[in-house]
Amino acid sequence: MDMRTSIEILSEEAEQQLRDHVWAPTTADRTIAAKAAADLNAVISAPSAQGALPAIDRLEHLREALAVLAIALAHVHGRLAWFLGAATTALTPVLNWRALPDQHGPTFGAVEPSPQEYTDAESAIRRLHATLTHITAT
């Protein structure tokens, strides 16, 4: 399953739990979700702007998005932690991507992603942003 699909499934589950009142985010959850949403929005720009960037910058932004999620995860417990942990896990292939050529020898198994993989990962981050914004408003 690709990252975008994984994040869509996670987001739908989170939104369903919110609708069904299975998950009632605390004030701290909403504060952390709001900060993470704002930080994700600052890192991943609109599709046209993001797509115009060189691969190395796109990869940097995706790694920054993972850092945002990891920092938010470090400050929560319960359902928000479970959601952020699962989202971070879904995005871990980004950690094995490289934007530089492998002309200087082994790359520790890093692979060069396709343009579509960048686009899918960026779309997944935008979906996470939307879900975190939804959590904030709950």
Side-chain angles (χ1 to χ4, degrees):
M1 183 179 323
D2 65 30
M3 283 182 259
R4 192 167 153 187
T5 302
S6 295
I7 295 301
E8 182 62 35
I9 291 168
L10 288 170
S11 292
E12 288 174 1
E13 181 180 349
E15 291 164 357
Q16 184 66 46
Q17 287 185 22
L18 292 166
R19 275 192 304 276
D20 293 346
H21 304 286
V22 172
W23 180 9
T26 65
T27 301
D29 287 345
R30 287 190 299 278
T31 300
I32 290 167
K35 170 116 175 67
D39 291 347
L40 289 176
N41 192 51
V43 171
I44 301 293
S45 58
S48 59
Q50 200 68 29
L53 295 173
I56 198 161
D57 292 335
R58 291 177 83 178
L59 182 53
E60 179 182 332
H61 291 184
L62 288 167
R63 288 177 179 161
E64 286 180 42
L66 274 169
V68 165
L69 295 173
I71 290 167
L73 177 59
H75 296 284
V76 294
H77 303 284
R79 291 188 191 277
L80 184 56
W82 304 334
F83 173 71
L84 292 172
T88 302
T89 298
L91 294 167
T92 57
V94 168
L95 297 174
N96 198 42
W97 289 358
R98 64 177 171 78
L100 299 174
D102 63 355
Q103 8 175 297
H104 302 292
T107 62
F108 302 97
V111 297
E112 195 169 351
S114 70
Q116 186 60 49
E117 287 174 307
Y118 279 115
T119 300
D120 289 347
E122 292 158 353
S123 294
I125 298 296
R126 287 185 198 93
R127 180 63 168 108
L128 280 174
H129 168 264
T131 303
L132 290 166
T133 300
H134 182 79
I135 292 167
T136 301
T138 303

